[in-house]
Amino acid sequence: METNMKKTGAFLPPEAIREQLAAADRIRLGYAAQGRTDDNAPGYYVLTFGCQQNEADSERLGGLCAAMGYRRVDDMADADLILVNTCAIREHAEKKALSIIGSCKHLREKNPDLLVGIGGCMVTQKHRADKLKNSYPYVTFTFDTGAVHLLPSLVENALAGGKRQFIHSEAYEIAEGLPLDRTSKHMAWLSVMYGCNNFCSYCIVPYVRGRERSRRMEDILTEAKMLIADGAKDITLLGQNVNSYGKDLADSADDPDFSDVVRAVCALDGDFRLRFMTSHPKDASDRLIAAIADCPKVARHFHLPVQSGSDEILKRMNRKYTSAHYKSLIDRLKAAVPDISITSDIIVGFPGETEEDFEATLDMLRYVEYDMIFSFIYSPRPGTPAAEMPDQVPHEVSTARFERLLALQNEISLRRNERFLGQTLRVLVEGVSKTDDNMLTGRGDPVRPVHFPGESSLIGQFVNVKIEKITPFTLEGAMSN
Ligand code: 5AD
Ligand code: SF4
């Protein structure tokens, strides 16, 4: 009985969703009564900052907007409803969001009926929501990451001339059954779990996305089938720490873990590629490595953020693994999947990072030979333990280390890309190159963009490309059979 309660406790009751969908319908009918349908329908614009989880949430916000009778517009100035989905991971992300939100002021002056709603991780921090409430009077409502589904009632209240609303739900229940408005036909995000329990000492995520909650396997598979039927060719399974999947659902040792999710999605019919992110090195398992090795639909790519190569810094980051553990995981991964591309996140200038600690990170880069890294200068986040730690590293020291890190990684990336010369890669065509109309851009299994001449009619299809030229950042070639 107790486990049953646990299983349903993390889910929003279906009637709560039905209520919101009914509100959306009333809004849509209201617009229809004014003749505002099709081309004349009110416009919505969702601006997304931050990670793929936010991208996924924004597709739900878009789905709710469509259910309310809004149509997506490409220019913020044409919107009747602007939603900004914010990020809080680094100070820079917050500053960027605040500046865009500031620019809504003059749009509101031009269109007094404009609704401006702010969601996401930044406003889930109470002090940020309070700031928007007090200093940004043209913001109509805010809603935290646990309140995405409440969008229709927020809009309904605003359209009826109700007071501004600032939702701080902190409920973080899983909302199944919300509509989706997908932004790319062939790429898709599929959340398998939400939240994080790890409390890495620098990270704001556990405070703004709540504790780990897993979706039910049947809900994941239903959504995966829907995405495949809708044309998705590159599906990324998402979670803050995907390897924790199922721990909160577990009744018995036979319950599925993340490797079972990977295998079950791969077993679905259809020609698609499967990716996943993010894995925590303390939890990445041999079962998962075996699933990558066994399932041809899984991209030969593993994003395994190490953050630092120094044991002392890892300890202070509360990462719960050592550099030796990480290296042994890499060894097992390379042994099981020899053509794997490994990528990582690295933080430079964590409090107390010495030259020696930083050298250990450089050594880690040399040991693993990452295909690519995402590197960040440490940014103190108020409310996290690291922000209170002594020995904050001066910005000029962090910047200099950051440059050295990038220079080393560029050398390694170029060396890693050499292995593709003369090889034929299976590439999903993503679009026309931004710099040359005759060139297409796509992605193979590794995360590198691949450029090659071709017709735009190939967008969304898999093609074979023989690689003829490389840089540290891109691969170039020509289509072949
Ligand atoms: N400062 C800098 N980088 C951070 N990250 C998370 N929190 C911070 C912070 N406070 C980075 C980590 C994480 C990635 C998504 O963002 O490398 O893996
Ligand atoms: Fe942040 Fe660590 Fe959780 Fe990743 S695992 S979201 S870095 S606390």
Side-chain angles (χ1 to χ4, degrees), residues 185-472:
K185 188 165 169 52
H186 41 272
M187 314 266 286
W189 313 118
L190 175 47
S191 297
V192 299
M193 62 174 305
Y194 306 91
C196 181
N197 291 356
N198 287 315
F199 291 93
C200 301
S201 62
Y202 50 80
C203 187
I204 196 74
V205 168
Y207 306 90
V208 293
R209 288 223 168 246
R211 295 293 68 74
E212 289 173 353
R213 289 95 65 203
S214 304
R215 292 179 74 188
R216 289 172 291 239
M217 179 76 110
E218 62 266 31
D219 293 331
I220 295 171
L221 292 178
T222 305
E223 190 167 322
K225 282 184 210 158
M226 184 274 287
L227 294 171
I228 296 162
D230 194 39
K233 296 270 172 59
D234 190 308
I235 302 176
T236 305
L237 303 179
L238 288 182
Q240 238 52 253
N241 177 18
V242 287
N243 302 107
S244 287
Y245 176 83
K247 285 186 188 163
D248 55 323
L249 297 177
D251 288 322
S252 71
D254 303 334
D255 269 2
D257 69 4
F258 182 61
S259 70
D260 298 311
V261 179
V262 169
R263 285 180 191 274
V265 175
C266 282
L268 298 175
D269 288 337
D271 186 14
F272 61 90
R273 183 161 57 201
L274 191 66
R275 303 177 188 275
F276 56 88
M277 67 190 311
T278 298
S279 284
H280 194 301
K282 81 178 162 55
D283 301 316
S285 65
D286 289 332
R287 279 171 64 91
L288 178 60
I289 294 176
I292 304 173
D294 290 349
C295 302
K297 283 181 186 166
V298 180
R300 312 285 87 183
H301 168 216
F302 205 122
H303 183 59
L304 197 58
V306 70
Q307 312 294 0
S308 167
S310 150
D311 285 340
E312 178 54 32
I313 296 293
L314 286 172
K315 201 154 131 209
R316 285 205 262 155
M317 286 178 162
N318 194 29
R319 290 291 285 177
K320 303 188 187 95
Y321 56 83
T322 60
S323 58
H325 169 87
Y326 185 88
K327 286 177 180 167
S328 89
L329 189 56
I330 295 289
D331 293 346
R332 279 176 281 146
L333 182 58
K334 286 182 176 172
V337 195
D339 54 347
I340 195 87
S341 289
I342 304 171
T343 57
S344 191
D345 292 346
I346 308 273
I347 296 178
V348 174
F350 185 81
E353 185 188 71
T354 61
E355 178 60 24
E356 209 183 344
D357 293 321
F358 176 64
E359 289 285 346
T361 299
L362 297 180
D363 282 344
M364 184 60 90
L365 261 54
R366 293 185 192 102
Y367 184 87
V368 179
E369 294 239 292
Y370 293 110
D371 274 45
M372 185 161 105
I373 58 169
F374 299 87
S375 41
F376 309 101
I377 293 180
Y378 169 71
S379 167
R381 306 283 62 217
T384 61
E388 308 298 323
M389 286 181 186
D391 305 324
Q392 300 279 327
V393 175
H395 193 68
E396 50 298 356
V397 175
S398 302
T399 316
R401 286 182 188 162
F402 186 76
E403 296 299 329
R404 284 164 64 197
L405 184 83
L406 289 191
L408 173 62
Q409 182 55 43
N410 286 350
E411 276 171 35
I412 296 172
S413 294
L414 187 62
R415 200 158 57 239
R416 288 291 294 159
N417 284 349
E418 276 167 10
R419 75 193 193 280
F420 295 122
L421 276 173
Q423 261 196 35
T424 299
L425 300 184
R426 189 156 187 262
V427 170
L428 176 63
V429 186
E430 288 179 359
V432 175
S433 155
K434 287 196 184 103
T435 50
D436 183 346
D437 282 352
N438 299 316
M439 296 286 276
L440 296 174
T441 299
R443 275 202 302 175
D445 272 16
V447 279
R448 293 261 158 266
V450 182
H451 301 300
F452 53 97
E455 301 284 328
S456 60
S457 58
L458 294 170
I459 293 171
Q461 292 185 30
F462 284 107
V463 297
N464 289 327
V465 178
K466 185 161 181 206
I467 304 303
E468 294 160 347
K469 204 172 141 196
I470 54 161
T471 72

Side-chain angles (χ1 to χ4, degrees), residues 41-162:
Y44 87 82
Y45 184 90
V46 181
L47 183 63
T48 310
F49 290 92
C51 66
Q52 288 81 2
Q53 192 61 64
N54 261 17
E55 298 281 350
D57 283 351
S58 287
E59 292 191 341
R60 306 274 170 210
L61 291 170
L64 287 168
C65 288
M68 293 186 286
Y70 289 81
R71 90 203 124 88
R72 198 190 313 159
V73 292
D74 296 329
D75 187 344
M76 212 164 156
D78 296 332
D80 299 88
L81 169 60
I82 294 175
L83 298 173
V84 185
N85 197 357
T86 59
C87 170
I89 198 98
R90 284 170 289 276
E91 193 186 1
H92 182 62
E94 293 198 328
K95 279 198 174 145
K96 261 192 350 207
L98 287 171
S99 128
I100 291 277
I101 297 167
S103 71
C104 292
K105 183 172 182 224
H106 76 270
L107 295 175
R108 179 67 184 268
E109 281 161 6
K110 273 198 230 149
N111 172 10
D113 293 332
L114 173 68
L115 305 183
V116 179
I118 317 293
C121 296
M122 184 180 83
V123 291
T124 303
Q125 305 165 98
K126 184 86 171 42
H127 68 279
R128 287 297 191 190
D130 288 347
K131 184 171 163 89
L132 290 179
K133 181 176 176 181
N134 299 326
S135 314
Y136 294 69
Y138 44 90
V139 168
T140 324
F141 54 83
T142 66
F143 52 104
D144 67 17
T145 57
V148 166
H149 63 286
L150 293 180
L151 182 67
S153 50
L154 287 166
V155 170
E156 191 171 44
N157 169 71
L159 290 175

